[in-house]
Amino acid sequence: MSYGGNVNRGPFLNIINWIFNAVALIAVLLRLASRRMLEKKGWAIDDLFIILTIAVSLARAIHVSVAISKGFGRHLDTLLEENPIETTRLLRLLVILQAIGLWTFTLPKLPVVALLTRLFGTTRRVATVLYSMAIFLIVLATILTILTFIQCSPVAHQWNPLIPGHCYGRSINVDFGYLVGTYSAILDFAFALYPILQVSKLQMERSRKILIGSSLSLGFVACIVTIYKQTLISEIENVGDPTWATIPLEVWNSVEGTALIVAASVPLTRPILLMIGQGIRSLTSRLSSINLWSVADSLTDMPTKSSALSSQSPVTSKSGSAVSRHYRSMFKPGKKDDILLLETQRHLGGSDDGRSSSQNTTDGRILRTVDLEQSVTSIPCMRNDF
């Protein structure tokens, strides 16, 4: 994978960065809207965690864009020839970016843990274990953040070799990065597997178990990304061309962090998604009724052949008009005969009575309309009997 070509990888990173952050932001907004607008509930601790997480992710996205505008993604030699002072500032931004990147995959663990605790943490012991696992990752990320800034003395020696100083072996940062990344992948796997095991114990249809379990287990995607990203960590040792070599690592940092945010948000967006789906179905149903009504209305304006036949057979003409008026009245939008089923059922978190999840809504309605096509074909003039 070339990650944007051989001259400037920056635009490729910028596109990936903002696309995935936009998806994550939409997921978070839908989650918050579901909770506040539909469930009418106040802010919970997991909502505050997800707001903090998306704020850090967007801050990193802005930081990446600023770095790209200064040449991130191009070869270091070319940048030094063009503008050495601006390149020094860019290298400083990259050191800061490296530290911020650690938190884009660390902080999302908190809303995931809060969600799992709220859904399955029936005992304080479960909550304590889950939060302890996440807090330990935070401790590791804090240590690695400190090591990132103190690996050189003075700190400015990292981005400006002209300043006298020295740096300890960068392999320490790389090895500790492997430790943090590996532990993060283990947490992603564990937090994705745990809800599957819990949902499998519930008394409900298998299809519904699969739906709920899969929505709560999107962390498997982040786990796969983290494992692949481990193969790219060594690129931070490339001090000869860091503005070029670290682009792949930052691309997968963007994917990993936003994937975790989406995984923590999607399970709680179901209410508003059901409401949107219900609105689309209702609109489609009304449009179908209006179209069929127009068909019935057109029966009153038959072609010349129909007029000729009606003059020859007045009884048929009168009966046809009567039938037309009858079906016009029957097809009027909003008529109660159009509705066969009106069902309201709670979404995830409601009663698990074993009914199919496709019939569940959140204080919403599912409208099934009459099969009008059969009724239309029963009209004599539609059967060409006139």
Side-chain angles (χ1 to χ4, degrees):
M1 187 173 182
S2 62
Y3 294 95
N6 298 319
V7 177
N8 188 359
R9 291 173 163 181
F12 176 80
L13 171 60
N14 212 27
I15 293 173
I16 295 296
N17 183 40
W18 283 109
I19 287 177
F20 279 87
N21 272 278
V23 172
L25 180 60
I26 292 173
V28 171
L29 292 177
L30 290 176
R31 168 196 169 126
L32 297 177
S34 295
R35 188 171 186 85
R36 295 287 294 180
M37 295 171 56
L38 301 182
E39 298 182 4
K40 305 297 183 182
K41 295 181 180 179
W43 299 114
I45 187 66
D46 54 330
D47 296 320
L48 299 179
F49 284 152
I50 200 68
I51 291 174
L52 173 63
T53 301
I54 190 64
V56 172
S57 182
L58 291 176
R60 176 191 171 275
I62 295 173
H63 191 93
V64 168
S65 294
V66 172
I68 291 173
S69 68
K70 294 183 178 298
F72 186 36
R74 300 172 61 192
H75 289 287
L76 181 60
D77 292 341
T78 303
L79 295 174
L80 288 173
E81 291 177 1
E82 294 178 356
N83 193 333
I85 297 178
E86 197 67 20
T87 302
T88 301
R89 295 172 181 171
L90 171 61
L91 294 175
R92 180 176 59 186
L93 290 177
L94 296 187
V95 173
I96 299 174
L97 178 61
Q98 182 181 341
I100 297 177
L102 298 172
W103 296 97
T104 57
F105 66 82
T106 299
L107 291 178
K109 303 294 192 297
L110 292 176
V112 171
V113 169
L115 175 63
L116 295 178
T117 301
R118 182 153 62 91
L119 294 179
F120 307 110
T122 55
T123 63
R124 180 173 296 182
R125 182 177 180 180
V126 173
T128 301
V129 171
L130 293 177
Y131 273 108
S132 297
M133 295 169 68
I135 291 174
F136 185 64
L137 177 62
I138 293 175
V139 172
L140 293 179
T142 302
I143 296 174
L144 186 54
T145 301
I146 296 173
L147 291 177
T148 300
F149 289 105
I150 68 171
Q151 60 181 320
C152 291
S153 180
V155 176
H157 184 67
Q158 289 190 72
W159 53 80
N160 190 354
L162 298 179
I163 297 177
H166 66 279
C167 299
Y168 61 80
R170 291 182 179 269
S171 60
I172 297 178
N173 263 31
V174 174
D175 294 340
F176 205 85
Y178 281 125
L179 172 62
V180 175
T182 301
Y183 183 67
S184 177
I186 293 174
L187 288 189
D188 291 336
F189 182 83
F191 292 160
L193 180 63
Y194 179 70
I196 293 179
L197 299 178
Q198 295 298 314
V199 171
S200 65
K201 301 176 184 178
L202 300 179
Q203 298 298 321
M204 62 175 65
E205 291 182 354
R206 180 177 297 178
S207 59
R208 192 176 180 190
K209 288 183 180 180
I210 294 174
L211 176 64
I212 298 175
S214 59
S215 66
L216 293 170
S217 303
L218 297 177
F220 282 129
V221 177
C223 177
I224 295 173
V225 173
T226 303
I227 293 174
Y228 178 76
K229 197 184 72 173
Q230 292 291 89
T231 63
L232 304 173
I233 291 180
S234 60
E235 295 297 335
I236 64 176
E237 285 189 294
N238 190 339
V239 295
D241 198 3
T243 57
W244 167 268
T246 57
I247 288 290
L249 179 62
E250 294 302 331
V251 167
W252 289 104
N253 271 339
S254 299
V255 175
E256 179 188 18
T258 53
L260 287 168
I261 294 174
V262 172
S265 301
V266 165
L268 297 180
T269 61
R270 190 166 181 260
I272 197 168
L273 292 179
L274 288 175
M275 184 188 73
I276 295 173
Q278 171 203 342
I280 295 175
R281 288 193 299 270
S282 178
L283 178 61
T284 303
S285 175
R286 286 182 175 274
L287 292 176
S288 299
S289 299
I290 292 174
N291 290 336
L292 290 172
W293 179 35
S294 300
V295 171
D297 189 43
S298 65
L299 297 179
T300 59
D301 300 323
M302 299 304 298
T304 305
K305 178 182 177 181
S306 178
S307 299
L309 289 175
S310 63
S311 63
Q312 297 175 4
S313 179
V315 175
T316 303
S317 176
K318 291 181 180 179
S319 62
S321 299
V323 170
S324 175
R325 287 193 299 272
H326 169 70
Y327 280 98
R328 282 184 62 194
S329 63
M330 186 185 74
F331 294 158
K332 288 183 179 179
K335 189 174 178 61
K336 292 182 180 179
D337 293 341
D338 290 345
I339 304 175
L340 294 182
L341 179 61
L342 176 60
E343 181 182 356
T344 302
Q345 195 174 46
R346 293 299 299 168
H347 64 281
L348 176 62
S351 59
D352 297 326
D353 54 1
R355 285 175 288 186
S356 174
S357 62
S358 63
Q359 297 179 351
N360 294 340
T361 63
T362 302
D363 297 331
R365 297 179 176 182
I366 300 177
L367 304 181
R368 297 181 181 174
T369 58
V370 176
D371 185 2
L372 299 179
E373 181 179 357
Q374 182 177 358
S375 300
V376 171
T377 56
S378 66
I379 303 174
C381 59
M382 296 298 289
R383 298 201 316 264
N384 295 324
D385 291 340
F386 53 91

